[in-house]
Amino acid sequence: NMGSYNMSISGNRNDEASYPLKGDLQELIIISADNNSTISAANLVKINSYLAIKYGITLEGGNYVNSLGTVVWDKARAGYTDYNNNIFGLANDEASGLLQKQAKSTDGKELTIFVGDELADLNTNNTSNALSDGDYLLLGSNANKHLIPYKYGAGTGFDGGTTLDEEVNYRRELTFRAQATRSFTDIKIAADAMYVLVSTDPDFAPGSTRVYKVDDTKGYASVTINDGDYISFALYEGLPGGSHD
Protein backbone atom coordinates (compact mmCIF):
# COMPACT_ATOMS: atom_id res chain seq x y z
CA ASN A 1 0.00 0.00 0.00
CA MET A 2 1.17 3.50 -0.77
CA GLY A 3 1.33 5.92 2.10
CA SER A 4 3.48 8.03 4.38
CA TYR A 5 5.34 6.23 7.12
CA ASN A 6 7.89 7.12 9.74
CA MET A 7 11.16 5.25 9.26
CA SER A 8 13.85 4.76 11.85
CA ILE A 9 17.23 3.08 11.72
CA SER A 10 18.15 1.34 14.98
CA GLY A 11 17.35 2.51 18.46
CA ASN A 12 13.59 2.61 17.92
CA ARG A 13 11.15 -0.28 18.08
CA ASN A 14 8.01 1.83 17.74
CA ASP A 15 6.77 3.65 14.65
CA GLU A 16 8.07 6.98 15.90
CA ALA A 17 10.57 9.53 14.72
CA SER A 18 12.24 9.85 18.11
CA TYR A 19 15.58 8.30 19.06
CA PRO A 20 17.00 7.83 15.57
CA LEU A 21 20.46 6.50 14.85
CA LYS A 22 23.11 9.22 14.91
CA GLY A 23 26.19 7.99 13.12
CA ASP A 24 27.61 6.76 9.84
CA LEU A 25 26.20 3.94 7.71
CA GLN A 26 28.27 1.78 5.40
CA GLU A 27 25.25 0.90 3.31
CA LEU A 28 21.46 1.14 3.48
CA ILE A 29 19.31 -1.48 1.74
CA ILE A 30 15.57 -0.77 1.52
CA ILE A 31 13.47 -3.87 0.87
CA SER A 32 9.87 -3.98 -0.29
CA ALA A 33 7.48 -6.92 -0.43
CA ASP A 34 4.02 -7.30 -1.96
CA ASN A 35 0.77 -7.33 -0.01
CA ASN A 36 2.31 -6.63 3.37
CA SER A 37 4.33 -9.83 3.20
CA THR A 38 7.91 -10.30 4.35
CA ILE A 39 10.98 -10.79 2.19
CA SER A 40 11.40 -14.37 0.99
CA ALA A 41 14.02 -16.60 2.55
CA ALA A 42 15.72 -17.00 -0.84
CA ASN A 43 16.08 -13.24 -1.32
CA LEU A 44 17.32 -12.81 2.24
CA VAL A 45 20.12 -15.30 1.51
CA LYS A 46 21.06 -13.27 -1.58
CA ILE A 47 21.27 -10.07 0.47
CA ASN A 48 23.27 -11.71 3.26
CA SER A 49 25.68 -13.21 0.72
CA TYR A 50 26.14 -9.85 -1.00
CA LEU A 51 26.93 -8.11 2.28
CA ALA A 52 29.17 -10.90 3.56
CA ILE A 53 31.34 -10.89 0.43
CA LYS A 54 31.44 -7.11 0.13
CA TYR A 55 32.56 -6.58 3.71
CA GLY A 56 34.49 -9.81 4.34
CA ILE A 57 32.16 -10.98 7.11
CA THR A 58 31.69 -14.74 7.52
CA LEU A 59 28.08 -15.92 7.67
CA GLU A 60 27.40 -18.11 10.68
CA GLY A 61 25.10 -20.46 8.79
CA GLY A 62 24.06 -21.33 5.26
CA ASN A 63 25.68 -21.10 1.87
CA TYR A 64 26.67 -18.05 -0.14
CA VAL A 65 24.70 -17.45 -3.34
CA ASN A 66 24.87 -15.04 -6.28
CA SER A 67 22.06 -12.82 -7.58
CA LEU A 68 20.52 -15.79 -9.43
CA GLY A 69 20.44 -17.89 -6.27
CA THR A 70 23.24 -20.16 -7.48
CA VAL A 71 25.52 -21.37 -4.67
CA VAL A 72 29.01 -19.86 -4.90
CA TRP A 73 30.26 -21.10 -1.52
CA ASP A 74 28.91 -24.48 -0.46
CA LYS A 75 29.62 -25.12 3.21
CA ALA A 76 28.55 -28.75 2.90
CA ARG A 77 30.77 -29.49 -0.10
CA ALA A 78 32.95 -32.56 0.40
CA GLY A 79 36.40 -31.66 1.73
CA TYR A 80 35.43 -28.22 3.03
CA THR A 81 34.34 -28.99 6.60
CA ASP A 82 37.56 -27.50 8.01
CA TYR A 83 37.58 -24.50 5.64
CA ASN A 84 34.35 -22.69 6.47
CA ASN A 85 36.16 -20.02 8.50
CA ASN A 86 37.07 -16.45 7.55
CA ILE A 87 35.30 -16.64 4.17
CA PHE A 88 35.96 -13.77 1.76
CA GLY A 89 36.86 -13.15 -1.85
CA LEU A 90 36.48 -11.46 -5.20
CA ALA A 91 33.29 -11.18 -7.23
CA ASN A 92 31.58 -9.40 -10.09
CA ASP A 93 27.79 -9.71 -10.08
CA GLU A 94 26.25 -6.94 -12.15
CA ALA A 95 22.64 -7.73 -11.21
CA SER A 96 23.35 -7.11 -7.52
CA GLY A 97 25.94 -4.37 -8.03
CA LEU A 98 28.64 -6.42 -6.31
CA LEU A 99 32.10 -5.69 -7.69
CA GLN A 100 34.76 -6.78 -5.22
CA LYS A 101 38.23 -6.37 -6.73
CA GLN A 102 40.24 -6.62 -3.52
CA ALA A 103 39.38 -8.34 -0.28
CA LYS A 104 40.41 -9.71 3.07
CA SER A 105 38.43 -11.25 5.88
CA THR A 106 37.47 -9.02 8.79
CA ASP A 107 37.73 -12.12 11.00
CA GLY A 108 41.26 -13.15 9.99
CA LYS A 109 43.47 -10.63 8.22
CA GLU A 110 46.46 -12.81 7.34
CA LEU A 111 45.79 -12.67 3.60
CA THR A 112 44.74 -10.00 1.10
CA ILE A 113 43.82 -10.82 -2.49
CA PHE A 114 43.26 -8.42 -5.36
CA VAL A 115 43.26 -7.99 -9.12
CA GLY A 116 45.12 -5.27 -10.97
CA ASP A 117 48.61 -3.87 -10.75
CA GLU A 118 48.43 -2.59 -7.19
CA LEU A 119 46.36 -2.69 -4.05
CA ALA A 120 44.25 0.48 -3.94
CA ASP A 121 43.36 2.39 -0.80
CA LEU A 122 39.70 1.54 -1.45
CA ASN A 123 38.01 -1.17 -3.49
CA THR A 124 36.22 1.51 -5.54
CA ASN A 125 39.58 3.02 -6.50
CA ASN A 126 40.87 -0.24 -7.96
CA THR A 127 40.73 0.35 -11.73
CA SER A 128 41.19 -3.28 -12.85
CA ASN A 129 38.65 -4.78 -15.25
CA ALA A 130 39.93 -8.35 -14.80
CA LEU A 131 36.65 -9.66 -13.38
CA SER A 132 33.75 -10.49 -15.70
CA ASP A 133 30.09 -10.63 -14.78
CA GLY A 134 29.39 -13.87 -12.93
CA ASP A 135 32.94 -14.31 -11.62
CA TYR A 136 33.31 -15.49 -8.03
CA LEU A 137 36.56 -16.49 -6.32
CA LEU A 138 35.98 -17.19 -2.63
CA LEU A 139 38.41 -18.49 -0.02
CA GLY A 140 37.82 -20.04 3.38
CA SER A 141 40.45 -21.01 5.92
CA ASN A 142 41.14 -23.69 8.52
CA ALA A 143 41.98 -20.88 10.99
CA ASN A 144 45.13 -22.66 12.23
CA LYS A 145 47.94 -20.47 13.55
CA HIS A 146 51.00 -22.71 13.95
CA LEU A 147 54.14 -23.28 11.90
CA ILE A 148 54.84 -26.83 10.72
CA PRO A 149 58.05 -28.27 9.23
CA TYR A 150 58.35 -27.87 5.46
CA LYS A 151 62.02 -28.23 4.58
CA TYR A 152 63.11 -27.87 0.94
CA GLY A 153 66.37 -26.50 -0.41
CA ALA A 154 67.01 -23.91 -3.08
CA GLY A 155 66.50 -25.40 -6.54
CA THR A 156 63.78 -27.85 -5.47
CA GLY A 157 61.39 -28.36 -8.36
CA PHE A 158 57.66 -27.84 -7.94
CA ASP A 159 54.65 -28.34 -10.19
CA GLY A 160 54.59 -26.46 -13.50
CA GLY A 161 58.35 -26.13 -13.67
CA THR A 162 58.52 -23.67 -10.77
CA THR A 163 61.47 -23.89 -8.37
CA LEU A 164 62.62 -22.44 -5.08
CA ASP A 165 65.41 -19.91 -5.32
CA GLU A 166 65.84 -19.87 -1.53
CA GLU A 167 65.64 -22.52 1.17
CA VAL A 168 62.46 -22.85 3.23
CA ASN A 169 62.00 -24.85 6.41
CA TYR A 170 58.48 -24.08 7.62
CA ARG A 171 54.98 -23.73 6.29
CA ARG A 172 52.13 -21.92 7.96
CA GLU A 173 49.53 -24.44 9.07
CA LEU A 174 47.02 -21.74 8.15
CA THR A 175 45.54 -22.98 4.88
CA PHE A 176 42.88 -21.53 2.62
CA ARG A 177 40.75 -23.43 0.13
CA ALA A 178 39.07 -21.98 -2.96
CA GLN A 179 35.64 -22.26 -4.48
CA ALA A 180 35.74 -20.60 -7.90
CA THR A 181 33.51 -20.24 -10.93
CA ARG A 182 36.53 -20.58 -13.27
CA SER A 183 40.32 -20.67 -13.29
CA PHE A 184 41.66 -17.28 -12.17
CA THR A 185 45.09 -16.13 -13.33
CA ASP A 186 47.20 -13.18 -12.20
CA ILE A 187 45.53 -13.02 -8.79
CA LYS A 188 47.67 -11.02 -6.39
CA ILE A 189 48.18 -12.40 -2.89
CA ALA A 190 49.75 -10.19 -0.25
CA ALA A 191 50.99 -12.13 2.78
CA ASP A 192 53.86 -12.19 5.27
CA ALA A 193 55.84 -15.08 3.73
CA MET A 194 58.61 -15.90 1.28
CA TYR A 195 56.44 -18.04 -0.99
CA VAL A 196 52.77 -18.58 -1.69
CA LEU A 197 51.95 -22.26 -2.22
CA VAL A 198 48.94 -23.25 -4.35
CA SER A 199 48.17 -26.95 -4.52
CA THR A 200 45.69 -29.72 -5.20
CA ASP A 201 47.21 -31.46 -2.17
CA PRO A 202 46.46 -30.32 1.41
CA ASP A 203 49.99 -31.45 2.40
CA PHE A 204 51.57 -29.34 -0.38
CA ALA A 205 53.85 -32.00 -1.84
CA PRO A 206 56.11 -30.32 -4.45
CA GLY A 207 54.87 -32.48 -7.32
CA SER A 208 51.32 -31.15 -6.96
CA THR A 209 52.12 -27.65 -5.73
CA ARG A 210 52.81 -24.43 -7.62
CA VAL A 211 55.19 -22.12 -5.81
CA TYR A 212 55.14 -18.33 -6.23
CA LYS A 213 57.77 -15.98 -4.81
CA VAL A 214 56.49 -12.99 -2.85
CA ASP A 215 58.10 -9.89 -4.35
CA ASP A 216 60.18 -8.24 -1.61
CA THR A 217 59.44 -4.76 -2.94
CA LYS A 218 55.77 -5.08 -3.83
CA GLY A 219 54.87 -7.44 -1.01
CA TYR A 220 52.74 -9.77 -3.07
CA ALA A 221 52.88 -12.76 -5.46
CA SER A 222 50.89 -13.19 -8.67
CA VAL A 223 49.25 -16.63 -8.70
CA THR A 224 46.79 -18.86 -10.51
CA ILE A 225 43.92 -20.29 -8.46
CA ASN A 226 41.56 -23.03 -9.58
CA ASP A 227 38.40 -24.34 -7.97
CA GLY A 228 39.34 -26.66 -5.09
CA ASP A 229 42.92 -25.41 -4.71
CA TYR A 230 44.62 -25.18 -1.33
CA ILE A 231 46.69 -22.09 -0.50
CA SER A 232 49.40 -21.77 2.15
CA PHE A 233 52.71 -20.00 2.80
CA ALA A 234 56.32 -21.12 3.07
CA LEU A 235 59.11 -19.32 4.88
CA TYR A 236 62.50 -19.71 6.50
CA GLU A 237 62.78 -19.38 10.27
CA GLY A 238 66.28 -19.20 11.72
CA LEU A 239 67.09 -21.04 14.93
CA PRO A 240 67.97 -19.22 18.17
CA GLY A 241 71.56 -18.02 18.39
CA GLY A 242 72.07 -18.29 14.65
CA SER A 243 72.19 -22.10 14.71
CA HIS A 244 71.51 -23.92 11.49
CA ASP A 245 70.78 -27.58 10.88
Side-chain angles (χ1 to χ4, degrees), residues 27 29 31 39-54 59 61-72 93 95-98 136:
E27 189 163 357
I29 298 176
I31 302 167
I39 184 173
S40 70
N43 283 332
L44 185 59
V45 172
K46 293 178 184 179
I47 293 170
N48 287 340
S49 298
Y50 163 89
L51 292 170
I53 295 169
K54 185 170 184 177
L59 296 177
N63 295 326
Y64 292 62
V65 302
N66 63 15
S67 61
L68 297 175
T70 303
V71 174
V72 292
D93 194 327
S96 67
L98 178 63
Y136 277 81

Side-chain angles (χ1 to χ4, degrees), residues 123-197:
N123 179 69
T124 53
N125 292 335
N126 185 318
T127 59
S128 172
N129 59 2
L131 299 177
S132 301
D133 185 28
D135 281 350
Y136 277 81
L137 170 58
L138 302 183
L139 305 178
S141 87
N142 61 6
N144 290 334
K145 302 294 185 181
H146 302 98
L147 293 177
I148 57 177
Y150 191 76
K151 187 173 178 60
Y152 293 99
T156 300
F158 280 71
D159 186 36
T162 55
T163 60
L164 295 178
D165 59 5
E166 296 182 72
E167 177 187 1
V168 298
N169 59 358
Y170 285 100
R171 177 175 70 80
R172 297 196 187 282
E173 194 174 12
L174 175 68
T175 302
F176 293 83
R177 198 170 188 196
Q179 293 193 28
T181 54
R182 63 175 175 88
S183 177
F184 287 83
T185 60
D186 199 23
I187 297 297
K188 309 303 194 306
I189 292 185
D192 182 18
M194 292 171 59
Y195 295 94
V196 176
L197 308 171

Side-chain angles (χ1 to χ4, degrees), residues 66-84:
N66 63 15
S67 61
L68 297 175
T70 303
V71 174
V72 292
W73 183 271
D74 184 354
K75 289 189 173 182
R77 181 172 166 181
Y80 281 82
T81 301
D82 294 333
Y83 298 94
N84 286 318

Side-chain angles (χ1 to χ4, degrees), residues 22 41 132 134 208:
K22 295 182 179 180
S132 301
S208 55

